[in-house]
Amino acid sequence: MTARIAVLALLGALVLMPYLWMVAASLKPVSEIFRASLSLWPEHFAAAENYGKVLARVPVLHYLWNGVVVCGGILVFQLLFAVPAGYALAKLRFPGRGLAFGAVMLGLLVPPHVPALPLYVAASGLGLLDSYTALIAPFTISVFAIFLFRQFFGALPDDLLHAARLDGMGEWSIVWRVVLPNAWPAATAFAIFSVVSHWNDLFWPLIVVQGHAHATPALGVLYFRSEEAGDDFGAMMAAAVLMTLPLVLAFLLAQRRFVEGIATTGLKG
Amino acid sequence: MAGITITGIGKRFGATVVLRDVSLTVEPGEFVALVGPSGCGKTTLMRIIAGIETADSGDITIGGRAVTRLPPAERDVAMVFQSYALYPHLTVRENIAVPLAMRRLSAVQRLPVLGGLLPGARARRRAIASEVERAAAPLGLAPLLDRRPMELSGGQRQRVALARAIVRRPAAFLMDEPLSNLDAALRVQTRREIVEIHRAAGVATLYVTHDQAEALTMADKVAVMMDGALLQISSPEAIYADPASLQVATFIGSPRINMLAATADAEGRVDVAGLPVGLRAQAHSALTLALRPEALRLAQEGLPVIAEHLEFLGDGLLLHARHAPDGAAVIARLEPEAREKVQPGAALRLGFAPERALLFGADGKRVAARADARLVTA
């Protein structure tokens, strides 16, 4: 038991180390970061200086707001499409169901970078570059979410749905009033994976966004590095801390649900 | 007037015929038990009536309306599922309110907060709440209204399912083995409660079960189904005492009815292994004589049997024996005092009144018989 805890603690420390290092570095002056000796705790606090620099030079709050809009928008549409689709694939009988599910499986095999070019061309042709739409629209249909929900909904007893139909619910009501509330663990787990991956995504924002107006947090860190920081690592780490802070806070708040979701869906990141 | 009428229902799954030309009527206020062994199609028939499953042929009328092509919600039936099928995320109160809310509130009025502010919604919600409480109280659910199904015992869940069915006052109740997940003591108690609910509601009820004792004790009328066909529809008394076929006779009654090979000679005298039994029927070479265990008693004359085993039931004895000429198993229900007279291995004679014997032909159909002047027993 103690041995197991020791191993887990060691692995945990290993995973946590880079993040702690980032937080520590964001509090130090540059001279201390490049010192040969290793020390986590700063001798002189340069937090005000580092964070002040970031907040003064780039619109951090604006980036964070963009991140909220983009991730929130993506998640809402993903759920809006994937929950009914997953329900239909799991519980309804209709011609072409096998084919549709096959298409979903095929979609899972395509890496997101492959359709990037055609999507860029389409966005450009529609004049949508550098907009929230360009950031959100390509991700609104998640085959992964459809697959996940389909598997999870399959475990719901059919009698529950029959009872709902006898009680007067239509299919639409069943999806949102019976199926989704009973699939909270799956929905929470998916929500966290979706938000984390899109919050941290650099690839697609880098392609469609120019300038600060629609830049997401990850892009903001990049802008700050290239435009302002140079080799000012303290300030850069401060920027990184600020951009990841919302995710860390969200995780801490939703920790129990997150773990529950992973435990019940067998989903691992 | 409300009732259920189904005519000529047929259903097949692929090559398997599940239901063959099933017709049944449940009169208004009547309690009909549909009984049969597992896999005989009774649950499928119930699902077809509810509209969850579609029939390949036939028509369904509920409360005087043709509903064959209507979706479940518009058929005005309530169903109690074997698994109860309660909404796990809703409290007992909300579970019972669902059928009312879905019918009486518009989609906008059902919205959590905003819906309550709309004109008319609040009054309707209040009416629903009081109806929920009125349905829950007689079932003893009042103290449980704010719990979730997970926190309830099996018997309590069962009551919630019943309350959800009665709250909307449907034209017909359908119950699919509602007692099979309860323990024996609770089953007997709930059996009575369901009958009382039925009596109070006065609604046509079709009750599916594989337990013939449940069917006999609860129903006004019992319909026996086997292999997708209805074999007999009669009162519990008639099903038991006057079965139309050997299949029905063997399925109903516990312990099982005794069966002995018999023949009727040219003059119609029926005998079992050479022993005349005091019955006359039309000449048949292969007959089956069936006798309920309680129709047999120890006697000086009668069927020769070898006693094998005795079971003491408190108010009686079950004698397991073998018919001496052909070794067929025979079970007799005897008075408790018979214990001293019966030892395992003893040769005994079992007599019976001829009018209690049932005769079946080689095809399993009932054969008319009348008592001969001479009785076999003293």
Side-chain angles (χ1 to χ4, degrees):
Chain A
M1 197 58 203
T2 42
R4 196 187 296 174
I5 288 174
V7 171
L8 284 175
L10 191 75
L11 287 174
L14 212 65
V15 173
L16 211 57
M17 207 50 222
Y19 193 80
L20 289 180
W21 191 256
M22 176 178 82
V23 176
S26 77
L27 304 174
K28 292 176 186 174
V30 182
S31 57
E32 243 181 86
I33 295 173
F34 288 108
R35 201 176 282 172
S37 62
L38 276 175
S39 131
L40 209 55
W41 200 252
E43 281 168 30
H44 304 283
F45 277 92
E49 198 180 306
N50 287 340
Y51 284 89
K53 207 182 277 177
V54 178
L55 290 170
R57 303 234 176 115
V58 289
V60 174
L61 285 180
H62 187 68
Y63 292 154
L64 294 180
W65 172 245
N66 283 346
V68 169
V69 169
V70 170
C71 288
I74 288 174
L75 183 64
V76 165
F77 282 108
Q78 279 177 333
L79 291 177
L80 198 64
F81 293 136
V83 170
Y87 169 71
L89 287 174
K91 291 294 187 190
L92 302 182
R93 291 164 176 282
F94 54 92
R97 181 172 78 155
L99 205 66
F101 188 56
V104 169
M105 298 294 283
L106 202 67
L108 279 174
L109 298 177
V110 180
H113 308 96
V114 171
L117 195 58
L119 283 173
Y120 174 80
V121 173
S124 157
L126 293 170
L128 290 173
L129 287 182
D130 205 14
S131 69
Y132 285 138
T133 311
L135 284 166
I136 294 172
F139 302 105
T140 49
I141 295 169
S142 160
V143 282
F144 172 68
I146 294 173
F147 178 74
L148 176 74
F149 285 127
R150 185 243 182 214
Q151 299 304 90
F152 203 85
F153 294 165
L156 284 179
D158 284 335
D159 274 352
L160 188 62
L161 309 178
H162 293 325
R165 285 183 197 124
L166 276 162
D167 281 345
M169 291 195 198
E171 298 302 312
W172 196 247
S173 292
I174 290 176
V175 167
W176 301 112
R177 305 180 136 253
V178 178
V179 172
L180 187 60
N182 285 300
W184 255 149
T188 320
F190 173 72
I192 289 173
F193 281 108
S194 165
V195 168
V196 168
S197 69
H198 291 292
W199 187 273
N200 291 335
D201 185 28
L202 181 61
F203 176 75
W204 185 249
L206 194 58
I207 292 176
V208 291
V209 171
Q210 287 167 336
H212 295 284
H214 297 98
T216 57
L219 203 54
V221 175
L222 191 73
Y223 283 166
F224 183 68
R225 196 190 94 180
S226 55
E227 288 170 19
E228 314 289 342
D231 57 355
D232 186 353
F233 276 88
M236 235 167 75
M237 289 301 126
V241 168
L242 285 174
M243 303 304 179
T244 49
L245 201 61
L247 283 190
V248 174
L249 289 179
F251 175 78
L252 290 178
L253 286 176
Q255 192 180 15
R256 180 176 297 181
R257 284 208 150 165
F258 185 32
V259 172
E260 192 179 86
I262 291 185
T264 39
T265 53
L267 190 74
K268 294 197 178 60
Chain B
M1 261 321 224
I4 308 170
T5 309
I6 57 173
T7 31
I9 295 288
K11 174 76 178 173
R12 47 173 71 224
F13 289 125
T16 326
V17 180
V18 187
L19 295 173
R20 347 173 168 248
D21 192 26
V22 175
S23 299
L24 177 67
T25 302
V26 183
E27 300 291 345
E30 198 176 35
F31 192 118
V32 174
L34 182 61
V35 65
S38 309
C40 72
K42 54 193 192 302
T43 293
T44 307
L45 179 62
M46 173 154 287
R47 286 162 177 265
I48 286 173
I49 297 173
I52 297 164
E53 202 90 65
T54 53
D56 298 337
S57 59
D59 288 300
I60 306 163
T61 314
I62 295 172
R65 288 188 311 144
V67 298
T68 318
R69 257 160 270 289
L70 294 182
E74 289 168 37
R75 295 188 175 201
D76 200 15
V77 293
M79 184 159 170
V80 176
F81 291 83
Q82 188 174 0
S83 60
Y84 313 143
L86 302 176
Y87 304 111
H89 61 294
L90 300 180
T91 62
V92 169
R93 188 191 301 278
E94 291 163 335
N95 259 288
I96 302 174
V98 166
L100 296 181
M102 294 310 296
R103 282 179 167 69
R104 298 199 195 150
L105 299 179
S106 66
V108 188
Q109 284 175 329
R110 285 198 302 267
L111 288 177
V113 182
L114 186 70
L117 303 173
L118 289 171
R122 204 170 298 172
R124 282 191 210 178
R125 281 179 177 225
R126 220 174 300 133
I128 290 173
S130 77
E131 276 180 59
V132 166
E133 276 166 34
R134 226 176 305 141
L139 288 159
L141 293 172
L144 307 174
L145 282 174
D146 293 309
R147 300 224 196 140
R148 280 172 210 276
M150 287 272 278
E151 305 162 54
L152 302 181
S153 70
Q156 290 167 336
R157 288 182 204 183
Q158 161 75 68
R159 281 154 215 256
V160 178
L162 283 171
R164 186 176 64 176
I166 59 177
V167 74
R168 70 163 122 126
R169 302 166 195 280
F173 284 146
L174 303 174
M175 303 197 188
D176 185 9
E177 309 225 9
L179 303 185
S180 60
N181 291 337
L182 301 181
D183 63 49
L186 205 50
R187 206 176 296 170
V188 173
Q189 186 197 338
T190 315
R191 205 148 83 179
R192 219 191 66 213
E193 282 174 6
I194 290 180
V195 172
E196 278 166 12
I197 287 172
H198 163 76
R199 209 169 288 150
V203 164
T205 301
L206 184 63
Y207 183 101
V208 160
T209 177
H210 65 269
D211 182 346
Q212 46 95 18
E214 245 170 56
L216 293 180
T217 50
M218 298 172 79
D220 301 323
K221 220 158 77 180
V222 176
V224 182
M225 184 174 226
M226 270 179 222
D227 295 326
L230 280 177
L231 300 183
Q232 189 174 355
I233 307 167
S234 317
S235 68
E237 295 79 12
I239 285 271
Y240 187 78
D242 196 15
S245 67
L246 196 53
Q247 277 176 299
V248 174
T250 51
F251 186 76
I252 300 289
S254 168
R256 211 165 82 135
I257 198 165
N258 297 299
M259 288 174 287
L260 295 166
T263 52
D265 63 19
E267 290 167 45
R269 255 196 300 271
V270 177
D271 66 60
V272 173
L275 178 81
V277 293
L279 283 172
R280 276 179 189 274
Q282 283 204 301
H284 275 279
S285 56
L287 287 170
T288 302
L289 180 90
L291 284 161
R292 295 282 177 202
E294 67 274 14
L296 292 166
R297 60 190 138 76
L298 291 176
Q300 300 302 314
E301 282 180 79
L303 303 166
V305 298
I306 310 293
E308 282 194 331
H309 176 65
L310 272 175
E311 280 174 15
F312 181 59
L313 301 175
D315 61 341
L317 275 182
L318 276 189
L319 165 68
H320 294 252
R322 294 216 167 267
H323 185 224
D326 58 7
V330 174
I331 298 176
R333 196 185 163 103
L334 306 175
E335 296 297 309
E337 299 80 51
R339 183 157 219 174
E340 290 122 51
K341 294 183 239 170
V342 179
Q343 298 299 323
L348 304 167
R349 286 199 177 251
L350 294 174
F352 58 91
E355 63 272 15
R356 296 192 72 173
L358 307 169
L359 273 183
F360 298 94
D363 57 355
K365 291 256 157 50
R366 186 77 176 275
V367 172
R370 61 195 160 77
D372 210 341
R374 198 185 76 93
L375 300 183
V376 257
T377 52

